[in-house]
């Protein structure tokens, strides 16, 4: 570990809700991301989990400045991206790339693979002439395990797994430092999921990449991450090293998430107790007072409605729960 | 036994053929695939055949005519004379296949020569509408999709102008334009082109706004591609298909509208140039429709068939390019 590559400080992304026929009046905000701070070390993988609508994708996009943050700062290797003028930001983009969830819709159907892969190189003037770019591209194709004849083909002529490899190649060809992978495998077959995850792993070992992996599949995140953050309703509720978090979740929400993962052993599966969450995710436009999870937390007390718990250090985890210590004993028994 | 074996061999051969088709060297772009689908569509074949004949006639017209289309009283040497006072109009016969018009000119020759005028007006008018419409719609769509707050203002200004045009009935707008600019061939083309501007502008803008939310646009942004390049090389090519379909369909309406203007006496004032719309008006008003309905019928059929050809082709293109209908 050689210092932090990504430092996010109190990042907020609020989307205005407007109403009105002629003049738009802002009547509220959807607080998709509401005060998240995290950092990712050089060469590390940070896994971000949470149910749909918790703001994990928005956080990923805000990190890459694809969605403008409302407040807070994002630093990439010490450069604050939120205050950069557009042209400087554009130049920074080659340092950070994204892998998308849906490999079909994230590839322009009218571009062949060579054109897709050379686009970033052209935008940043990398590789010099056409032959230089070709050499870079063909090396990248080898790295992601795609055949050279793919160059003249179009995205719709590939299978889902191959398309995702194209998406990975597009991100890699710029030799970025950071890759944000937004649900990189959830649109793929299970057999191909493993291939793609292993590919990401290998590439990290070879190239020293730093990942932010966003997923709702806990097994995928556990496999690939060094540190895992759990998000609920726009905020981090727990953050710990991958093994720690899975072995000993401290936050009731994390515990509930873990207990939703089926265990591939019928006896254990039968015996273990599950924490079933009642109700739906509350609206991020009107989040509950105090602790955001209290409306669905089986252990919620009065204090939870009044005070919003800060992320604090407990047993090597960072947890946002007033009763983490007391619950840790209780939860261990579960 | 042998029959079964032969069947099996035939099947294998078919499979090999299929495999050969699928292992082609080059990738296939969406346009090429769409073209393939168009070629299989029967209505496209019918539409294209009609248009092929029409274009051939329009191009070769002057070499195909049996008589000078402007020559008055061309039937007199054959004893066929138009007598308007007595309502005698020689109908279709072996010498003059479509009969003689109210001035005793050969209808068949005039129909053939008229095809060129009709095609010219249709194509030029559509080109004017397409260019202007795509310019306005493209700027508005790109500004709205990528330009942030200032882009939305630009879009708003342009679209209110388009709404103004759209609010006026199209033929009325064309009539006022022609009346304002004085009738001539060019004015007809400008007027007919102008009324199709709002359709193209709205269509392209809508498609571009829809495309600018697509994931590959986000992907291009994250690659660091310039906004102008994203608009021109990603959003525009993916939005142009419905516009091209509309252009084919607009060719049909442009022909009808140009004929309508001529019909109302606002067409090309140079009456030596045969034009189907003018001929239709002549057939209805300048001769006795009750005695010689064919003088109105032939130009009407000409207009209808050409418009039908363009419409069939346009519909087939729409089907081929619609991503939802793709297998």
């Amino acid at each position: 570990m050689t210092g932090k590559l990504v430092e996010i400080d109190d990042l907020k992304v609020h989307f205005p809700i407007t109403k009105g026929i002629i003049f738009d009046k802002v009547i509220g905000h959807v607080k998709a991301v509401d005060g998240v701070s995290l950092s990712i070390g050089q060469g590390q993988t940070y896994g971000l989990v949470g149910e749909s609508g918790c703001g994990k994708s928005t956080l990923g996009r805000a990190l890459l400045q694809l969605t403008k943050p409302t407040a807070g700062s994002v630093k990439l290797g010490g450069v604050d991206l939120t205050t950069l003028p557009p042209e400087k930001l554009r130049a920074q983009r080659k340092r950070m790339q994204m892998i998308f969830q849906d490999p079909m819709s994230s590839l322009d159907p009218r571009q062949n693979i060579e054109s897709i892969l050379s686009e970033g190189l052209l935008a940043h003037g990398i590789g010099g002439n056409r032959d230089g770019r070709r050499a870079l591209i063909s090396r990248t194709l080898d790295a992601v395990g795609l055949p050279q004849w793919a160059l003249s083909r179009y995205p719709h002529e590939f299978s889902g797994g191959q398309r995702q490899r194209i998406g990975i190649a597009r991100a890699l060809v710029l030799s970025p430092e950071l890759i944000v992978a937004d649900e990189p495998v959830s649109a793929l077959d299970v057999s191909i999921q493993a291939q793609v995850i292993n590919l990401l792993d290998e590439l990290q070992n070879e190239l020293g990449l730093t990942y932010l992996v966003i997923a709702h599949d806990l097994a995928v995140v556990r496999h690939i991450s060094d540190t895992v953050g759990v998000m609920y309703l726009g905020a981090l509720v727990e953050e710990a090293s991958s093994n720690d978090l899975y072995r000993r979740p401290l936050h009731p929400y994390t515990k509930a998430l873990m207990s939703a993962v089926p265990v591939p052993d019928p006896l254990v599966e039968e015996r273990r107790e599950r924490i079933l969450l009642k109700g739906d995710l509350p609206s991020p436009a009107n989040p509950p007072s105090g602790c955001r999870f209290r409306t669905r937390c089986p252990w919620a007390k009065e204090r939870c409605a009044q005070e919003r718990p800060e992320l604090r250090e407990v047993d090597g985890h960072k947890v946002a729960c007033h009763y983490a210590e007391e619950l840790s004993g209780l939860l261990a028994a579960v | 036994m042998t029959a079964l074996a032969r069947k099996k061999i035939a099947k294998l051969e078919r499979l090999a053929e299929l495999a050969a088709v699928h292992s082609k060297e080059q990738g296939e772009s969406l346009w090429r695939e769409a073209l393939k689908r168009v070629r299989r569509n029967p209505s496209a074949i019918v539409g294209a055949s009609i248009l092929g004949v029409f274009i051939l006639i329009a191009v070769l017209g002057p070499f195909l005519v049996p008589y000078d289309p402007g020559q008055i009283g061309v039937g007199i040497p054959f004893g066929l004379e138009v007598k308007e006072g007595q309502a005698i109009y020689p109908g279709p016969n072996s010498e003059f296949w479509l009969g003689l018009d109210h001035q005793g000119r050969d209808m068949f020759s005039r129909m053939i020569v008229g095809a060129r005028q009709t095609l010219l007006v249709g194509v030029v008018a559509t080109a004017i509408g397409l260019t202007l419409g795509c310019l306005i719609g493209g700027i508005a769509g790109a500004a709205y999709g990528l330009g942030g707050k200032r882009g939305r203002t630009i879009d708003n200004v342009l679209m209110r102008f388009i709404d103004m045009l759209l609010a006026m009935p199209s033929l009325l707008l064309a009539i006022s334009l022609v009346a304002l600019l004085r009738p001539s061939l060019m004015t007809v083309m400008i007027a007919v082109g102008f009324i199709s501007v709002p359709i193209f502008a709205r269509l392209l803008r809508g498609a571009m706004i829809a495309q600018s939310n697509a994931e590959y646009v986000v992907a291009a942004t994250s690659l660091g591609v310039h906004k102008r390049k994203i608009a021109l090389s990603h959003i525009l090519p993916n939005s142009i298909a419905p516009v091209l379909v509309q252009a084919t369909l607009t060719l049909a309406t442009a022909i009808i509208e140009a004929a309508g203007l001529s019909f109302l006496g606002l067409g090309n004032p140079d009456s030596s140039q045969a034009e189907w719309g003018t001929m239709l008006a002549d057939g209805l008003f300048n001769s006795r429709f009750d005695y010689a309905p064919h003088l109105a019928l032939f130009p009407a059929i000409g207009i209808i068939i050409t418009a039908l050809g363009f419409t069939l082709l346009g519909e087939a293109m729409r089907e081929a390019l619609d991503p939802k209908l793709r297998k």
Side-chain angles (χ1 to χ4, degrees):
Chain A
M1 260 210 275
T2 52
K4 303 290 182 199
L5 178 67
V6 179
E7 285 164 286
I8 299 178
D9 186 39
D10 199 24
L11 189 74
K12 289 181 181 162
V13 183
H14 294 182
F15 297 111
I17 309 168
T18 55
K19 204 178 158 181
I21 299 162
I22 301 172
F23 298 106
D24 286 345
K25 208 171 78 186
V26 178
I27 55 164
H29 285 94
V30 173
K31 294 168 179 162
V33 177
D34 201 17
V36 170
S37 304
L38 59 85
S39 57
I40 310 172
Q42 193 90 47
Q44 296 280 300
T45 301
Y46 191 103
L48 202 58
V49 292
E51 61 197 297
S52 46
C54 73
K56 52 191 194 302
S57 289
T58 310
L59 177 64
R61 285 178 187 220
L63 163 57
L64 296 180
Q65 304 296 306
L66 295 171
T67 306
K68 262 262 156 276
T70 317
S73 72
V74 175
K75 282 188 187 148
L76 182 71
V79 182
D80 189 350
L81 300 175
T82 49
T83 54
L84 282 181
E87 193 50 32
K88 286 226 170 94
L89 175 65
R90 200 185 68 78
Q92 287 289 324
R93 287 198 182 282
K94 67 168 181 282
R95 301 178 58 198
M96 45 182 189
Q97 282 301 307
M98 183 157 182
I99 296 170
F100 291 85
Q101 171 174 13
D102 182 356
M104 190 69 220
S105 67
S106 62
L107 301 172
D108 185 340
R110 300 197 187 281
Q111 267 186 311
N112 65 19
I113 307 309
E114 180 172 10
S115 154
I116 288 174
L117 295 182
S118 55
E119 188 155 43
L121 297 175
L122 280 169
H124 295 286
I126 306 171
N129 56 7
R130 197 188 159 110
D131 291 332
R133 285 197 298 274
R134 267 254 162 99
L136 274 174
I137 289 169
S138 77
R139 216 179 310 147
T140 313
L141 279 184
D142 284 339
V144 299
L146 280 172
Q148 297 295 331
W149 51 256
L151 285 176
S152 66
R153 306 250 168 166
Y154 290 81
H156 64 111
E157 296 175 286
F158 292 91
S159 69
Q162 286 173 318
R163 278 182 212 143
Q164 193 58 297
R165 283 166 195 271
I166 297 167
I168 294 171
R170 172 173 62 182
L172 274 183
V173 75
L174 289 175
S175 10
E177 296 157 56
L178 169 73
I179 288 185
V180 174
D182 187 0
E183 304 266 11
V185 295
S186 60
L188 305 176
D189 250 271
V190 180
S191 58
I192 295 163
Q193 283 188 1
Q195 283 179 19
V196 171
I197 288 291
N198 289 336
L199 173 66
L200 288 175
D201 227 4
E202 282 164 28
L203 291 170
Q204 182 169 42
N205 293 338
E206 273 169 45
L207 307 168
L209 296 168
T210 306
Y211 288 142
L212 174 70
V213 177
I214 299 163
H216 59 255
D217 186 329
L218 295 165
V220 165
V221 169
R222 176 178 199 171
H223 179 81
I224 199 170
S225 308
D226 301 299
T227 312
V228 176
V230 182
M231 262 184 102
Y232 183 79
L233 214 61
L236 278 175
V237 294
E238 186 166 2
E239 183 191 296
S241 75
S242 167
N243 280 332
D244 255 11
L245 187 87
Y246 281 79
R247 213 173 299 140
R248 206 163 38 86
L250 290 182
H251 196 280
Y253 179 63
T254 318
K255 184 73 197 169
L257 270 186
M258 300 294 163
S259 80
V261 179
V263 179
D265 179 344
L267 290 175
V268 179
E269 179 72 27
E270 190 108 318
R271 246 181 290 138
R272 75 194 183 115
E273 194 182 332
R274 281 217 218 134
I275 305 170
L276 288 177
L277 292 182
K278 311 165 286 209
D280 288 326
L281 196 67
S283 158
N286 184 22
S289 66
C291 175
R292 310 204 143 187
F293 185 55
R294 71 176 166 84
T295 51
R296 299 166 78 190
C297 179
W299 295 281
K301 298 192 178 136
E302 213 161 286
R303 186 181 167 201
C304 302
Q306 280 144 14
E307 256 181 78
R308 184 172 172 187
E310 293 295 321
L311 210 58
R312 65 206 170 90
E313 199 96 18
V314 177
D315 279 356
H317 293 216
K318 280 186 185 161
V319 188
C321 177
H322 293 307
Y323 303 103
E325 290 88 348
E326 289 122 86
L327 287 175
S328 83
L330 192 66
L331 287 171
V334 173
Chain B
M1 193 60 199
T2 43
L4 208 71
R6 218 177 296 135
K7 230 180 189 173
K8 220 167 203 173
I9 289 167
K11 197 176 172 187
L12 277 173
E13 266 169 4
R14 262 207 316 281
L15 277 174
E17 214 175 79
L18 271 175
V21 168
H22 283 282
S23 67
K24 58 210 165 307
E25 282 293 298
Q26 273 285 316
E28 272 207 38
S29 80
L30 288 182
W31 289 115
R32 293 235 310 259
E33 282 212 342
L35 193 68
K36 251 188 185 169
R37 276 194 296 279
V38 166
R39 267 193 257 143
R40 281 199 293 266
N41 190 333
S43 73
I45 295 166
V46 174
S49 325
I50 292 175
L51 294 181
V53 172
F54 173 60
I55 290 168
L56 216 66
I57 291 174
V59 172
L60 301 177
F63 306 104
L64 297 176
V65 291
Y67 298 98
D68 177 3
Q71 194 189 337
I72 296 168
V74 70
I76 293 171
F78 301 91
L80 294 166
E81 205 176 344
V82 176
K83 291 180 180 138
E84 283 200 74
Q86 296 157 36
I88 295 172
Y89 302 92
N93 57 64
S94 59
E95 203 56 51
F96 304 101
W97 292 353
L98 300 180
L100 298 172
D101 78 349
H102 67 289
Q103 292 190 331
R105 296 174 293 196
D106 179 29
M107 270 302 270
F108 182 67
S109 304
R110 291 181 68 73
M111 282 295 291
I112 285 177
V113 173
R116 177 181 283 195
Q117 288 282 312
T118 308
L119 184 70
L120 191 71
V121 172
V123 169
V124 174
T126 306
I128 292 172
L130 187 73
T131 316
L132 267 178
C134 284
L135 209 64
I136 297 175
I139 292 171
Y144 185 96
L146 300 173
K149 208 160 193 174
R150 219 182 51 187
R152 267 160 219 243
T153 316
I154 295 171
D155 167 69
N156 225 333
V157 172
L158 288 173
M159 280 304 116
R160 291 302 80 75
F161 170 66
I162 292 296
D163 283 348
M164 256 163 53
L165 291 183
L166 212 53
M168 276 180 266
S170 55
L171 198 59
L172 202 63
L173 185 63
I175 290 170
S176 358
L177 270 174
V178 174
L180 211 68
L181 299 172
R182 228 178 286 151
S184 76
L185 184 63
M186 202 57 217
T187 4
V188 171
M189 296 193 288
I190 291 173
V192 173
F194 202 66
I195 57 181
S196 61
V197 165
I199 304 165
F200 286 120
R202 278 254 159 222
L203 205 62
L204 185 63
R205 170 186 174 268
M208 283 182 73
I209 289 174
Q211 289 297 328
S212 62
N213 291 323
E215 198 113 276
Y216 61 79
V217 173
V218 180
T221 311
S222 86
L223 281 175
V225 181
H226 279 285
K227 272 183 182 170
R228 200 169 302 152
K229 195 178 173 217
I230 293 178
L232 287 177
S233 70
H234 289 290
I235 301 179
L236 193 63
N238 279 292
S239 313
I240 207 76
V243 177
L244 290 184
V245 170
Q246 184 59 42
T248 321
L249 298 173
T250 299
L251 272 169
T253 47
I255 287 170
I256 293 172
E257 256 145 16
L261 283 178
S262 308
F263 181 79
L264 294 172
L266 294 167
N268 191 357
D270 182 4
S271 64
S272 65
Q273 294 277 336
E275 201 276 332
W276 290 353
T278 323
M279 287 162 70
L280 178 62
D282 283 343
L284 279 176
F285 304 134
N286 292 338
S287 60
R288 292 287 296 275
F289 184 67
D290 45 356
Y291 283 95
H294 62 274
L295 294 184
L297 205 62
F298 292 131
I301 290 173
I303 294 168
I304 290 169
I305 289 180
T306 352
L308 183 74
F310 279 117
T311 310
L312 282 175
L313 193 67
E315 286 297 335
M317 268 170 67
R318 187 206 297 282
E319 267 175 41
L321 289 170
D322 190 343
K324 275 181 222 119
L325 292 172
R326 216 176 291 145
K327 49 169 192 226

